């Protein structure tokens, strides 16, 4: 059975935030669990599988927000070593209902998400990191943390800032296998042929299906996984060149340019912002 470490980061009438770290010891499906109320889970490190009834499985990793509904049983598993870490966010029922588009919910009195997951954009990833680092360090006021949390929910649910997975069940499963290959070694410089061989299809077919299901090319998806990992690790590195190389970038300049393009600030600027004193 996997072990969990849970740290409460924020708890107000409007917003609750928890940092949840799982050691990943449970490689196969866990026993059934049940969430108490709807909440959004933002993985920021590692990967896990989220299993619902009816064979509905999804890969949970830092390019996604996962939806957990109240009183809906689920299981988790860890097909890749290393466990996972997530920011878990819940809102008051009234606020969640106000923020959630009606076409993303089921017909129930309380909010219940229709989808199992949605792809999020780089700015949502940056908000996850900023909230987590700032609340852990105590460098953010409650009102600002609440406001940023609502902004994060809007981005995670917005049609212009998130992406619903598209494609048939079989194609989605194929893409999930490719995601697990990428997540198994973020620092490796995979070739298209190597990934395609791992999942058992041709490189051409893999690129076509991945683009259809996720809405972004495979190479960009991998880049965003690496950058999300950088957001998690920035506070632990004094020399950013070492971080860049550990994550598979060819140089510090390559890493810095990609980071700035996605998050509108350089790694050094983001690092200074999370290390700032209140």
């Amino acid at each position: 059975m996997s072990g969990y470490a849970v740290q409460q980061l924020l708890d107000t009438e409007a917003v609750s935030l928890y940092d949840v770290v799982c050691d990943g010891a449970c490689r196969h499906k866990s026993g059934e669990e049940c969430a108490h109320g709807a909440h959004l889970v933002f993985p920021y490190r590692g990967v896990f599988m989220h299993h619902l009834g009816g064979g509905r499985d999804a890969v949970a990793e830092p390019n996604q927000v996962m939806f957990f509904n109240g009183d809906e049983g689920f299981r988790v598993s860890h097909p890749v070593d290393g466990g996972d870490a997530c920011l878990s966010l819940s809102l008051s029922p009234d606020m969640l209902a106000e923020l959630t588009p009606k076409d993303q919910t089921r017909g129930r009195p309380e909010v219940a998400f229709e989808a199992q997951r949605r792809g999020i954009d780089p700015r949502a990833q940056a908000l996850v990191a900023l909230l987590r680092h700032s609340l852990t360090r105590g460098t953010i006021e409650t009102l600002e943390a609440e406001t940023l949390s609502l902004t994060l929910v809007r981005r995670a649910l917005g049609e212009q800032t998130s992406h619903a997975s598209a494609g048939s069940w079989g194609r989605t499963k194929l893409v999930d296998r490719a995601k697990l290959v990428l997540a198994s070694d973020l620092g490796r410089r995979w070739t298209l042929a190597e990934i395609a061989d791992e999942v058992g299809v041709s490189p051409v077919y893999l690129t076509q299906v991945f683009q259809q299901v996720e809405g972004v090319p495979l190479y960009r998806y991998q880049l965003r996984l690496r950058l999300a990992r950088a957001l998690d690790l920035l506070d632990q590195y004094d020399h950013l060149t070492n971080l860049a190389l550990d994550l598979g970038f060819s140089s510090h300049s390559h890493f810095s340019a990609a980071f700035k393009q996605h998050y509108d600030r350089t790694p050094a600027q983001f690092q200074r912002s999370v290390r700032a004193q209140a």
Side-chain angles (χ1 to χ4, degrees):
M1 183 70 178
S2 296
Y4 290 91
V6 180
Q7 179 184 7
Q8 185 179 77
L9 301 179
L10 181 69
D11 187 26
T12 71
E13 292 181 358
V15 184
S16 293
L17 288 172
Y18 291 86
D19 189 15
V20 183
V21 179
C22 180
D23 63 16
C26 181
R27 299 301 297 270
H28 303 290
K29 289 184 183 180
S30 68
E32 186 172 84
E33 304 174 55
C34 190
H36 298 289
H39 57 285
L40 294 79
V41 172
F42 298 87
Y44 64 83
R45 182 194 313 148
V47 61
F48 67 93
M49 293 293 299
H50 182 242
H51 307 280
L52 296 177
R56 291 174 294 160
D57 304 330
V59 174
E61 37 73 27
N63 283 338
Q64 311 283 332
V65 57
M66 309 300 298
F67 300 116
F68 289 68
N69 291 320
D71 301 323
E72 181 177 58
F74 68 92
R75 302 174 191 270
V76 299
S77 63
H78 292 84
V80 175
D81 289 335
D84 68 89
C86 304
L87 183 72
S88 178
L89 185 156
S90 61
L91 298 178
S92 69
D94 290 343
M95 293 181 70
L96 184 59
E98 184 176 350
L99 287 171
T100 306
K102 296 297 185 244
D103 62 359
Q104 294 185 29
T105 65
R106 302 173 191 165
R108 291 167 56 179
E110 71 279 8
V111 170
F113 295 103
E114 182 67 37
Q116 193 172 359
R117 64 182 178 187
R118 286 183 73 89
I120 58 174
D121 69 355
R123 294 197 178 187
Q125 291 176 327
L127 279 170
V128 170
L130 183 61
L131 276 166
R132 187 175 65 84
H133 287 304
S134 300
L135 286 167
T136 299
R137 285 176 165 267
T139 59
I140 187 173
E141 295 290 339
T142 299
L143 179 60
E144 183 180 2
E146 289 181 308
T147 303
L148 290 179
S149 297
L150 296 184
T151 301
L152 175 59
V153 172
R154 289 191 186 96
R155 295 202 72 89
L157 300 178
E159 291 299 326
Q160 301 300 315
T161 52
S162 65
H163 173 76
S165 181
S168 67
W169 181 86
R171 292 188 171 197
T172 300
K173 291 296 183 184
L174 169 62
V175 168
D176 278 352
R177 293 202 304 273
K179 289 180 183 179
L180 292 177
V181 171
L182 294 176
S184 68
D185 190 350
L186 285 181
R188 177 171 170 175
R189 296 180 185 177
W190 292 96
T191 67
L192 182 58
E194 288 171 339
I195 300 171
D197 184 61
E198 288 284 339
V199 300
V201 297
S202 75
V204 170
Y205 186 70
L206 175 60
T207 56
Q208 291 173 337
V209 171
F210 201 98
Q211 174 79 48
Q212 177 198 35
V213 172
E214 291 300 327
V216 295
L218 179 60
Y219 76 88
R220 187 169 296 278
Y221 203 89
Q222 181 198 38
L223 174 63
R224 287 178 54 188
L225 285 178
R226 286 175 169 174
L227 292 173
R229 182 65 171 144
L231 288 172
D232 174 37
L233 294 173
L234 270 173
D235 200 34
Q236 303 176 28
Y237 277 74
D238 293 323
H239 302 289
L240 295 181
T241 297
N242 293 339
L243 174 58
L245 297 178
D246 287 348
L247 290 175
F249 291 93
S250 58
S251 64
H252 177 272
S253 60
H254 176 209
F255 167 52
S256 186
F259 193 99
K260 184 177 173 70
Q261 181 182 24
H262 280 72
Y263 303 128
D264 291 330
R265 67 184 82 179
T266 67
Q269 289 171 331
F270 194 94
Q271 187 183 63
R272 285 195 294 271
S273 71
V274 300
R275 290 181 174 180
Q277 296 298 313

